[in-house]
Amino acid sequence: MKEVTPEVTIRRLTRYLRCLEFMSENGKKVVLSKELAKTCKISSSLVRRDLSYFGDFGVKGTGYDIEVLKQKIRNILGIDRTRNLIVIGIGNVGRVLLNYQFMNPGLRIIAGFDKDPQKAGKKINGIPVYHDDKLEEFIKNNNISIAVVAVPRDAVHEVVNRLVNSGVKAILSFALIPIQVPEDVVLSYVEIESELEILSYKLKTRGL
Amino acid sequence: MKEVTPEVTIRRLTRYLRCLEFMSENGKKVVLSKELAKTCKISSSLVRRDLSYFGDFGVKGTGYDIEVLKQKIRNILGIDRTRNLIVIGIGNVGRVLLNYQFMNPGLRIIAGFDKDPQKAGKKINGIPVYHDDKLEEFIKNNNISIAVVAVPRDAVHEVVNRLVNSGVKAILSFALIPIQVPEDVVLSYVEIESELEILSYKLKTRGL
């Protein structure tokens, strides 16, 4: 496997994984690359190329064992191990996250943090919520893979700085605010407005 | 402007827009392409190429008027007009959406829908919530650009079919479930788990 894989390829792998999970839920055991392509709405040739790029997973003609393929993709994505997550900001978005039913057993939210003392000490979906001032100590004492930032826009900058200073190496932000982080920290965004804009663009190209 | 622009380019445009909005908020009026590149963490050459691709917006050396550039990008994205949105499913995710503070005045959520009669008839953030059985009638009587689907996983399929049958042409789903929609309908996903997987992959490539 090459070290630098384009993000679009990795994004497709997560898509295959979602489709494979869906097939498993529906009792399917084996899938042909053309079926996977159809379900994921990605071209057959691209599916074959992606899968061969990461090593040959299937037997020609008989298709792929879905469980094996899921496990291979999880391994590539680094979620075949436990990834401890924390969520900072337990407002509407934070509550969505703490209640999220992950398909991957490896993704595990172990704590939430909020500035509001009323929220600290409670549990949401079995996950403890701590006061924000415990953040650094918690990060120091637990092996945190990813911190999810769901605080209001004007607090994002401060929270990200605290996370970086505490040694967190991966951050997912729910506000697309330009933030400078060191080279060794990966930062990405879940940004609803941009997704709506992309849909708007697609409508426009269709004259709508 | 070419009709078919790669989605990655459009995605970068939405990123420029977020950065420009951030600059406006901070009182900035003019931006050089290299400043925009640094703020957005996209290479200068790519920024210049993207902006020239959509027509020359700036004056060499003096930079871009931020308001003009924002308006141009909004025009390209088709959000210089009003886009009426509806949200189906007023659980945790639905509540996030109804409370969302869009930066673009063009994006306007005009109604929410839920199967729960307790939720119907109420307003969230000034937006009316109707009973799910009013969905088709509401779509018929209002000009809906985009429907956002935030219902539980097992209800996604049924809701998407109802939207398609009512003539909705753009759907944003919060569950990545494979759904077949007609060619003239655009469907996209906001999917938290995939974003976390991509971060996990990036950690893995760095030996973490």
Side-chain angles (χ1 to χ4, degrees), chain B residues 48-76:
Chain B
R48 278 194 303 272
R49 201 181 73 190
D50 284 342
L51 297 183
S52 69
Y53 183 71
F54 291 104
D56 193 33
F57 298 151
V59 178
K60 206 172 162 65
T62 61
Y64 299 92
D65 180 302
I66 289 175
E67 283 309 314
V68 171
L69 191 49
K70 272 161 64 179
Q71 206 43 46
K72 291 262 189 185
I73 294 175
R74 284 179 178 164
N75 175 268
I76 293 164

PDB file of all heavy atoms in Angstrom, chain B residues 48-76:
ATOM      1  N   ARG B  48      -5.470  30.384  -7.479  1.00  0.00           N
ATOM      2  CA  ARG B  48      -5.476  31.228  -8.682  1.00  0.00           C
ATOM      3  C   ARG B  48      -6.154  30.518  -9.845  1.00  0.00           C
ATOM      4  O   ARG B  48      -6.935  31.107 -10.574  1.00  0.00           O
ATOM      5  CB  ARG B  48      -4.043  31.631  -9.068  1.00  0.00           C
ATOM      6  CG  ARG B  48      -3.514  32.820  -8.260  1.00  0.00           C
ATOM      7  CD  ARG B  48      -2.254  33.414  -8.897  1.00  0.00           C
ATOM      8  NE  ARG B  48      -1.214  32.402  -9.032  1.00  0.00           N
ATOM      9  CZ  ARG B  48      -0.329  32.121  -8.073  1.00  0.00           C
ATOM     10  NH1 ARG B  48      -0.342  32.762  -6.929  1.00  0.00           N
ATOM     11  NH2 ARG B  48       0.585  31.184  -8.278  1.00  0.00           N
ATOM     12  N   ARG B  49      -5.845  29.228  -9.979  1.00  0.00           N
ATOM     13  CA  ARG B  49      -6.436  28.466 -11.087  1.00  0.00           C
ATOM     14  C   ARG B  49      -7.957  28.384 -10.943  1.00  0.00           C
ATOM     15  O   ARG B  49      -8.698  28.615 -11.889  1.00  0.00           O
ATOM     16  CB  ARG B  49      -5.841  27.060 -11.120  1.00  0.00           C
ATOM     17  CG  ARG B  49      -5.977  26.376 -12.467  1.00  0.00           C
ATOM     18  CD  ARG B  49      -5.399  24.977 -12.436  1.00  0.00           C
ATOM     19  NE  ARG B  49      -6.271  24.066 -11.692  1.00  0.00           N
ATOM     20  CZ  ARG B  49      -5.927  22.827 -11.350  1.00  0.00           C
ATOM     21  NH1 ARG B  49      -4.740  22.350 -11.653  1.00  0.00           N
ATOM     22  NH2 ARG B  49      -6.772  22.051 -10.688  1.00  0.00           N
ATOM     23  N   ASP B  50      -8.413  28.079  -9.707  1.00  0.00           N
ATOM     24  CA  ASP B  50      -9.858  27.976  -9.464  1.00  0.00           C
ATOM     25  C   ASP B  50     -10.566  29.279  -9.804  1.00  0.00           C
ATOM     26  O   ASP B  50     -11.601  29.286 -10.458  1.00  0.00           O
ATOM     27  CB  ASP B  50     -10.141  27.636  -7.999  1.00  0.00           C
ATOM     28  CG  ASP B  50      -9.863  26.175  -7.671  1.00  0.00           C
ATOM     29  OD1 ASP B  50      -9.786  25.368  -8.613  1.00  0.00           O
ATOM     30  OD2 ASP B  50      -9.732  25.862  -6.475  1.00  0.00           O
ATOM     31  N   LEU B  51      -9.989  30.390  -9.314  1.00  0.00           N
ATOM     32  CA  LEU B  51     -10.676  31.668  -9.506  1.00  0.00           C
ATOM     33  C   LEU B  51     -10.657  32.076 -10.973  1.00  0.00           C
ATOM     34  O   LEU B  51     -11.654  32.595 -11.479  1.00  0.00           O
ATOM     35  CB  LEU B  51     -10.063  32.743  -8.608  1.00  0.00           C
ATOM     36  CG  LEU B  51     -10.191  32.463  -7.094  1.00  0.00           C
ATOM     37  CD1 LEU B  51      -9.622  33.620  -6.291  1.00  0.00           C
ATOM     38  CD2 LEU B  51     -11.631  32.189  -6.666  1.00  0.00           C
ATOM     39  N   SER B  52      -9.547  31.782 -11.680  1.00  0.00           N
ATOM     40  CA  SER B  52      -9.498  32.167 -13.094  1.00  0.00           C
ATOM     41  C   SER B  52     -10.425  31.265 -13.928  1.00  0.00           C
ATOM     42  O   SER B  52     -10.991  31.693 -14.925  1.00  0.00           O
ATOM     43  CB  SER B  52      -8.069  32.085 -13.623  1.00  0.00           C
ATOM     44  OG  SER B  52      -7.653  30.737 -13.679  1.00  0.00           O
ATOM     45  N   TYR B  53     -10.584  30.041 -13.467  1.00  0.00           N
ATOM     46  CA  TYR B  53     -11.456  29.079 -14.153  1.00  0.00           C
ATOM     47  C   TYR B  53     -12.875  29.611 -14.250  1.00  0.00           C
ATOM     48  O   TYR B  53     -13.592  29.376 -15.213  1.00  0.00           O
ATOM     49  CB  TYR B  53     -11.418  27.777 -13.342  1.00  0.00           C
ATOM     50  CG  TYR B  53     -12.181  26.613 -13.901  1.00  0.00           C
ATOM     51  CD1 TYR B  53     -11.735  25.949 -15.041  1.00  0.00           C
ATOM     52  CD2 TYR B  53     -13.328  26.151 -13.280  1.00  0.00           C
ATOM     53  CE1 TYR B  53     -12.419  24.864 -15.538  1.00  0.00           C
ATOM     54  CE2 TYR B  53     -14.020  25.060 -13.772  1.00  0.00           C
ATOM     55  CZ  TYR B  53     -13.568  24.416 -14.901  1.00  0.00           C
ATOM     56  OH  TYR B  53     -14.242  23.335 -15.385  1.00  0.00           O
ATOM     57  N   PHE B  54     -13.286  30.316 -13.219  1.00  0.00           N
ATOM     58  CA  PHE B  54     -14.653  30.844 -13.187  1.00  0.00           C
ATOM     59  C   PHE B  54     -14.720  32.299 -13.646  1.00  0.00           C
ATOM     60  O   PHE B  54     -15.684  32.989 -13.382  1.00  0.00           O
ATOM     61  CB  PHE B  54     -15.225  30.710 -11.780  1.00  0.00           C
ATOM     62  CG  PHE B  54     -15.473  29.285 -11.390  1.00  0.00           C
ATOM     63  CD1 PHE B  54     -14.621  28.624 -10.525  1.00  0.00           C
ATOM     64  CD2 PHE B  54     -16.547  28.595 -11.927  1.00  0.00           C
ATOM     65  CE1 PHE B  54     -14.852  27.297 -10.187  1.00  0.00           C
ATOM     66  CE2 PHE B  54     -16.781  27.270 -11.600  1.00  0.00           C
ATOM     67  CZ  PHE B  54     -15.929  26.614 -10.721  1.00  0.00           C
ATOM     68  N   GLY B  55     -13.678  32.752 -14.307  1.00  0.00           N
ATOM     69  CA  GLY B  55     -13.657  34.142 -14.764  1.00  0.00           C
ATOM     70  C   GLY B  55     -12.739  34.938 -13.864  1.00  0.00           C
ATOM     71  O   GLY B  55     -12.557  34.618 -12.696  1.00  0.00           O
ATOM     72  N   ASP B  56     -12.133  35.988 -14.425  1.00  0.00           N
ATOM     73  CA  ASP B  56     -11.148  36.734 -13.671  1.00  0.00           C
ATOM     74  C   ASP B  56     -11.842  37.717 -12.727  1.00  0.00           C
ATOM     75  O   ASP B  56     -12.493  38.648 -13.146  1.00  0.00           O
ATOM     76  CB  ASP B  56     -10.228  37.486 -14.642  1.00  0.00           C
ATOM     77  CG  ASP B  56      -9.007  38.016 -13.922  1.00  0.00           C
ATOM     78  OD1 ASP B  56      -8.549  37.361 -12.964  1.00  0.00           O
ATOM     79  OD2 ASP B  56      -8.532  39.085 -14.298  1.00  0.00           O
ATOM     80  N   PHE B  57     -11.717  37.449 -11.435  1.00  0.00           N
ATOM     81  CA  PHE B  57     -12.435  38.257 -10.444  1.00  0.00           C
ATOM     82  C   PHE B  57     -11.603  39.418  -9.904  1.00  0.00           C
ATOM     83  O   PHE B  57     -12.136  40.347  -9.328  1.00  0.00           O
ATOM     84  CB  PHE B  57     -12.818  37.403  -9.223  1.00  0.00           C
ATOM     85  CG  PHE B  57     -13.728  36.268  -9.520  1.00  0.00           C
ATOM     86  CD1 PHE B  57     -13.677  35.128  -8.733  1.00  0.00           C
ATOM     87  CD2 PHE B  57     -14.651  36.326 -10.548  1.00  0.00           C
ATOM     88  CE1 PHE B  57     -14.530  34.070  -8.969  1.00  0.00           C
ATOM     89  CE2 PHE B  57     -15.506  35.272 -10.797  1.00  0.00           C
ATOM     90  CZ  PHE B  57     -15.442  34.142 -10.003  1.00  0.00           C
ATOM     91  N   GLY B  58     -10.290  39.324 -10.037  1.00  0.00           N
ATOM     92  CA  GLY B  58      -9.438  40.274  -9.315  1.00  0.00           C
ATOM     93  C   GLY B  58      -8.621  41.166 -10.218  1.00  0.00           C
ATOM     94  O   GLY B  58      -8.599  40.998 -11.437  1.00  0.00           O
ATOM     95  N   VAL B  59      -7.949  42.108  -9.622  1.00  0.00           N
ATOM     96  CA  VAL B  59      -7.038  42.970 -10.345  1.00  0.00           C
ATOM     97  C   VAL B  59      -5.636  42.597  -9.873  1.00  0.00           C
ATOM     98  O   VAL B  59      -5.381  42.557  -8.671  1.00  0.00           O
ATOM     99  CB  VAL B  59      -7.338  44.459 -10.048  1.00  0.00           C
ATOM    100  CG1 VAL B  59      -6.339  45.356 -10.780  1.00  0.00           C
ATOM    101  CG2 VAL B  59      -8.768  44.809 -10.430  1.00  0.00           C
ATOM    102  N   LYS B  60      -4.759  42.274 -10.820  1.00  0.00           N
ATOM    103  CA  LYS B  60      -3.427  41.768 -10.473  1.00  0.00           C
ATOM    104  C   LYS B  60      -2.708  42.701  -9.500  1.00  0.00           C
ATOM    105  O   LYS B  60      -2.653  43.898  -9.705  1.00  0.00           O
ATOM    106  CB  LYS B  60      -2.612  41.602 -11.760  1.00  0.00           C
ATOM    107  CG  LYS B  60      -1.512  40.548 -11.620  1.00  0.00           C
ATOM    108  CD  LYS B  60      -0.861  40.260 -12.973  1.00  0.00           C
ATOM    109  CE  LYS B  60       0.468  39.572 -12.784  1.00  0.00           C
ATOM    110  NZ  LYS B  60       0.364  38.241 -12.175  1.00  0.00           N
ATOM    111  N   GLY B  61      -2.219  42.115  -8.417  1.00  0.00           N
ATOM    112  CA  GLY B  61      -1.411  42.889  -7.468  1.00  0.00           C
ATOM    113  C   GLY B  61      -2.219  43.538  -6.350  1.00  0.00           C
ATOM    114  O   GLY B  61      -1.768  43.620  -5.228  1.00  0.00           O
ATOM    115  N   THR B  62      -3.445  43.985  -6.663  1.00  0.00           N
ATOM    116  CA  THR B  62      -4.217  44.697  -5.636  1.00  0.00           C
ATOM    117  C   THR B  62      -5.176  43.754  -4.901  1.00  0.00           C
ATOM    118  O   THR B  62      -5.740  44.126  -3.891  1.00  0.00           O
ATOM    119  CB  THR B  62      -5.050  45.839  -6.249  1.00  0.00           C
ATOM    120  OG1 THR B  62      -5.953  45.265  -7.190  1.00  0.00           O
ATOM    121  CG2 THR B  62      -4.160  46.858  -6.945  1.00  0.00           C
ATOM    122  N   GLY B  63      -5.355  42.564  -5.431  1.00  0.00           N
ATOM    123  CA  GLY B  63      -6.187  41.588  -4.733  1.00  0.00           C
ATOM    124  C   GLY B  63      -7.661  41.684  -5.099  1.00  0.00           C
ATOM    125  O   GLY B  63      -8.049  42.407  -6.022  1.00  0.00           O
ATOM    126  N   TYR B  64      -8.432  40.938  -4.356  1.00  0.00           N
ATOM    127  CA  TYR B  64      -9.860  40.790  -4.644  1.00  0.00           C
ATOM    128  C   TYR B  64     -10.694  41.545  -3.616  1.00  0.00           C
ATOM    129  O   TYR B  64     -10.406  41.487  -2.417  1.00  0.00           O
ATOM    130  CB  TYR B  64     -10.264  39.311  -4.567  1.00  0.00           C
ATOM    131  CG  TYR B  64      -9.552  38.441  -5.550  1.00  0.00           C
ATOM    132  CD1 TYR B  64      -8.375  37.795  -5.205  1.00  0.00           C
ATOM    133  CD2 TYR B  64     -10.062  38.244  -6.829  1.00  0.00           C
ATOM    134  CE1 TYR B  64      -7.704  36.981  -6.103  1.00  0.00           C
ATOM    135  CE2 TYR B  64      -9.407  37.425  -7.735  1.00  0.00           C
ATOM    136  CZ  TYR B  64      -8.229  36.800  -7.364  1.00  0.00           C
ATOM    137  OH  TYR B  64      -7.580  35.991  -8.268  1.00  0.00           O
ATOM    138  N   ASP B  65     -11.731  42.209  -4.075  1.00  0.00           N
ATOM    139  CA  ASP B  65     -12.717  42.792  -3.173  1.00  0.00           C
ATOM    140  C   ASP B  65     -13.502  41.611  -2.577  1.00  0.00           C
ATOM    141  O   ASP B  65     -14.122  40.831  -3.318  1.00  0.00           O
ATOM    142  CB  ASP B  65     -13.636  43.714  -3.966  1.00  0.00           C
ATOM    143  CG  ASP B  65     -14.704  44.361  -3.096  1.00  0.00           C
ATOM    144  OD1 ASP B  65     -15.491  43.619  -2.457  1.00  0.00           O
ATOM    145  OD2 ASP B  65     -14.766  45.586  -3.063  1.00  0.00           O
ATOM    146  N   ILE B  66     -13.473  41.481  -1.253  1.00  0.00           N
ATOM    147  CA  ILE B  66     -14.050  40.289  -0.612  1.00  0.00           C
ATOM    148  C   ILE B  66     -15.555  40.169  -0.870  1.00  0.00           C
ATOM    149  O   ILE B  66     -16.054  39.091  -1.195  1.00  0.00           O
ATOM    150  CB  ILE B  66     -13.716  40.279   0.906  1.00  0.00           C
ATOM    151  CG1 ILE B  66     -12.216  39.973   1.094  1.00  0.00           C
ATOM    152  CG2 ILE B  66     -14.568  39.246   1.659  1.00  0.00           C
ATOM    153  CD1 ILE B  66     -11.715  40.043   2.528  1.00  0.00           C
ATOM    154  N   GLU B  67     -16.274  41.286  -0.779  1.00  0.00           N
ATOM    155  CA  GLU B  67     -17.728  41.230  -1.005  1.00  0.00           C
ATOM    156  C   GLU B  67     -18.054  40.796  -2.429  1.00  0.00           C
ATOM    157  O   GLU B  67     -18.972  40.002  -2.642  1.00  0.00           O
ATOM    158  CB  GLU B  67     -18.386  42.587  -0.701  1.00  0.00           C
ATOM    159  CG  GLU B  67     -18.560  42.883   0.787  1.00  0.00           C
ATOM    160  CD  GLU B  67     -19.247  41.755   1.575  1.00  0.00           C
ATOM    161  OE1 GLU B  67     -20.278  41.239   1.095  1.00  0.00           O
ATOM    162  OE2 GLU B  67     -18.728  41.367   2.637  1.00  0.00           O
ATOM    163  N   VAL B  68     -17.288  41.325  -3.401  1.00  0.00           N
ATOM    164  CA  VAL B  68     -17.503  40.978  -4.811  1.00  0.00           C
ATOM    165  C   VAL B  68     -17.217  39.486  -5.030  1.00  0.00           C
ATOM    166  O   VAL B  68     -17.997  38.769  -5.663  1.00  0.00           O
ATOM    167  CB  VAL B  68     -16.621  41.848  -5.745  1.00  0.00           C
ATOM    168  CG1 VAL B  68     -16.667  41.340  -7.191  1.00  0.00           C
ATOM    169  CG2 VAL B  68     -17.061  43.318  -5.680  1.00  0.00           C
ATOM    170  N   LEU B  69     -16.111  39.032  -4.448  1.00  0.00           N
ATOM    171  CA  LEU B  69     -15.714  37.632  -4.611  1.00  0.00           C
ATOM    172  C   LEU B  69     -16.752  36.686  -3.989  1.00  0.00           C
ATOM    173  O   LEU B  69     -17.139  35.678  -4.588  1.00  0.00           O
ATOM    174  CB  LEU B  69     -14.324  37.424  -3.994  1.00  0.00           C
ATOM    175  CG  LEU B  69     -13.609  36.102  -4.273  1.00  0.00           C
ATOM    176  CD1 LEU B  69     -13.620  35.756  -5.753  1.00  0.00           C
ATOM    177  CD2 LEU B  69     -12.173  36.152  -3.748  1.00  0.00           C
ATOM    178  N   LYS B  70     -17.226  37.044  -2.790  1.00  0.00           N
ATOM    179  CA  LYS B  70     -18.276  36.250  -2.137  1.00  0.00           C
ATOM    180  C   LYS B  70     -19.499  36.146  -3.038  1.00  0.00           C
ATOM    181  O   LYS B  70     -20.075  35.070  -3.224  1.00  0.00           O
ATOM    182  CB  LYS B  70     -18.691  36.905  -0.800  1.00  0.00           C
ATOM    183  CG  LYS B  70     -17.873  36.464   0.385  1.00  0.00           C
ATOM    184  CD  LYS B  70     -17.975  37.433   1.559  1.00  0.00           C
ATOM    185  CE  LYS B  70     -19.376  37.528   2.144  1.00  0.00           C
ATOM    186  NZ  LYS B  70     -19.384  38.480   3.301  1.00  0.00           N
ATOM    187  N   GLN B  71     -19.892  37.299  -3.601  1.00  0.00           N
ATOM    188  CA  GLN B  71     -21.090  37.326  -4.430  1.00  0.00           C
ATOM    189  C   GLN B  71     -20.909  36.489  -5.693  1.00  0.00           C
ATOM    190  O   GLN B  71     -21.823  35.784  -6.112  1.00  0.00           O
ATOM    191  CB  GLN B  71     -21.472  38.785  -4.743  1.00  0.00           C
ATOM    192  CG  GLN B  71     -22.942  39.001  -5.028  1.00  0.00           C
ATOM    193  CD  GLN B  71     -23.874  38.255  -4.073  1.00  0.00           C
ATOM    194  OE1 GLN B  71     -23.696  38.260  -2.854  1.00  0.00           O
ATOM    195  NE2 GLN B  71     -24.881  37.575  -4.613  1.00  0.00           N
ATOM    196  N   LYS B  72     -19.704  36.540  -6.262  1.00  0.00           N
ATOM    197  CA  LYS B  72     -19.411  35.749  -7.466  1.00  0.00           C
ATOM    198  C   LYS B  72     -19.499  34.252  -7.153  1.00  0.00           C
ATOM    199  O   LYS B  72     -20.060  33.476  -7.913  1.00  0.00           O
ATOM    200  CB  LYS B  72     -17.993  36.060  -7.983  1.00  0.00           C
ATOM    201  CG  LYS B  72     -17.844  37.440  -8.552  1.00  0.00           C
ATOM    202  CD  LYS B  72     -17.956  37.440 -10.059  1.00  0.00           C
ATOM    203  CE  LYS B  72     -17.588  38.818 -10.602  1.00  0.00           C
ATOM    204  NZ  LYS B  72     -17.777  38.930 -12.054  1.00  0.00           N
ATOM    205  N   ILE B  73     -18.912  33.877  -6.010  1.00  0.00           N
ATOM    206  CA  ILE B  73     -18.928  32.444  -5.656  1.00  0.00           C
ATOM    207  C   ILE B  73     -20.357  32.000  -5.356  1.00  0.00           C
ATOM    208  O   ILE B  73     -20.797  30.944  -5.800  1.00  0.00           O
ATOM    209  CB  ILE B  73     -17.969  32.153  -4.468  1.00  0.00           C
ATOM    210  CG1 ILE B  73     -16.519  32.410  -4.884  1.00  0.00           C
ATOM    211  CG2 ILE B  73     -18.131  30.708  -3.987  1.00  0.00           C
ATOM    212  CD1 ILE B  73     -15.490  32.261  -3.765  1.00  0.00           C
ATOM    213  N   ARG B  74     -21.106  32.849  -4.654  1.00  0.00           N
ATOM    214  CA  ARG B  74     -22.521  32.522  -4.391  1.00  0.00           C
ATOM    215  C   ARG B  74     -23.299  32.356  -5.695  1.00  0.00           C
ATOM    216  O   ARG B  74     -24.154  31.490  -5.813  1.00  0.00           O
ATOM    217  CB  ARG B  74     -23.163  33.615  -3.529  1.00  0.00           C
ATOM    218  CG  ARG B  74     -22.743  33.521  -2.083  1.00  0.00           C
ATOM    219  CD  ARG B  74     -23.370  34.619  -1.246  1.00  0.00           C
ATOM    220  NE  ARG B  74     -22.954  34.450   0.146  1.00  0.00           N
ATOM    221  CZ  ARG B  74     -23.064  35.365   1.082  1.00  0.00           C
ATOM    222  NH1 ARG B  74     -23.585  36.556   0.799  1.00  0.00           N
ATOM    223  NH2 ARG B  74     -22.669  35.123   2.317  1.00  0.00           N
ATOM    224  N   ASN B  75     -22.977  33.188  -6.649  1.00  0.00           N
ATOM    225  CA  ASN B  75     -23.633  33.098  -7.953  1.00  0.00           C
ATOM    226  C   ASN B  75     -23.307  31.763  -8.638  1.00  0.00           C
ATOM    227  O   ASN B  75     -24.195  31.074  -9.143  1.00  0.00           O
ATOM    228  CB  ASN B  75     -23.208  34.298  -8.818  1.00  0.00           C
ATOM    229  CG  ASN B  75     -23.751  34.197 -10.233  1.00  0.00           C
ATOM    230  OD1 ASN B  75     -23.097  33.666 -11.116  1.00  0.00           O
ATOM    231  ND2 ASN B  75     -24.976  34.661 -10.430  1.00  0.00           N
ATOM    232  N   ILE B  76     -22.027  31.393  -8.606  1.00  0.00           N
ATOM    233  CA  ILE B  76     -21.621  30.116  -9.209  1.00  0.00           C
ATOM    234  C   ILE B  76     -22.346  28.955  -8.530  1.00  0.00           C
ATOM    235  O   ILE B  76     -22.809  28.022  -9.174  1.00  0.00           O
ATOM    236  CB  ILE B  76     -20.089  29.914  -9.092  1.00  0.00           C
ATOM    237  CG1 ILE B  76     -19.349  30.939  -9.952  1.00  0.00           C
ATOM    238  CG2 ILE B  76     -19.689  28.487  -9.493  1.00  0.00           C
ATOM    239  CD1 ILE B  76     -17.869  31.065  -9.618  1.00  0.00           C
TER     240      ILE B  76
END
